[in-house]
Amino acid sequence: MISRLWHAPEPDEAPGCSTTGSSEAAMLGGLALKRRWQDRRRAAGKPTDKPNIVMGINVQVCWEKFARYWDVEPRTVPMEGQRFHIDPHEAVKTLRREHDRRDRHPRLHL
């Protein structure tokens, strides 16, 4: 729908987009997600001080701003070849590698 709105050359082949228009609405939605996450963690007796958001490296800039403004750690998954979306299996592999690297080099990630 959005690719047609912006007159993309091949609208049926467009990779899509994360947001269009209202960065504020996206940030408020992200804040609601953060608060719900914190509520669930508190109810489970778990810490709430280190939220993160997993996203493709190609996300719209409002999500990077959201992470910065609301103290949420951004965790990005790279795109490869003709894949322009987040792949859940690749995301898990990337995040596991990142976690393992942090365990081996804790001073790199203070």
Side-chain angles (χ1 to χ4, degrees):
M1 183 184 327
I2 292 173
S3 62
R4 285 186 183 86
L5 175 68
W6 294 107
H7 306 291
E10 296 182 37
D12 293 333
E13 300 297 319
C17 88
S18 175
T19 65
T20 185
S22 178
S23 294
E24 294 83 3
M27 286 193 211
L28 288 173
L31 182 58
L33 288 172
K34 178 182 175 182
R35 297 290 187 242
R36 290 178 66 185
W37 175 84
Q38 288 173 321
D39 291 344
R40 284 193 311 272
R41 300 277 295 181
R42 273 190 209 99
K46 296 180 180 178
T48 62
D49 60 331
K50 295 186 179 184
N52 65 70
I53 185 169
V54 178
M55 54 192 163
I57 196 77
N58 62 338
V59 297
Q60 209 270 355
V61 71
C62 79
W63 294 110
E64 295 167 354
K65 289 179 180 180
F66 161 76
R68 185 178 327 118
Y69 297 161
W70 298 106
D71 298 319
V72 174
E73 176 191 2
R75 295 189 180 181
T76 56
V77 177
M79 303 296 106
E80 292 180 3
Q82 292 298 310
R83 182 176 51 80
F84 299 109
H85 62 279
I86 238 182
D87 173 280
H89 303 292
E90 196 59 38
V92 169
K93 283 195 305 187
T94 299
L95 296 174
R96 282 190 179 142
R97 280 191 306 262
E98 181 181 303
H99 183 268
D100 292 345
R101 185 181 48 156
R102 287 181 181 185
D103 283 350
R104 285 191 306 273
H105 306 287
R107 284 188 248 158
L108 293 176
H109 305 281
L110 300 175

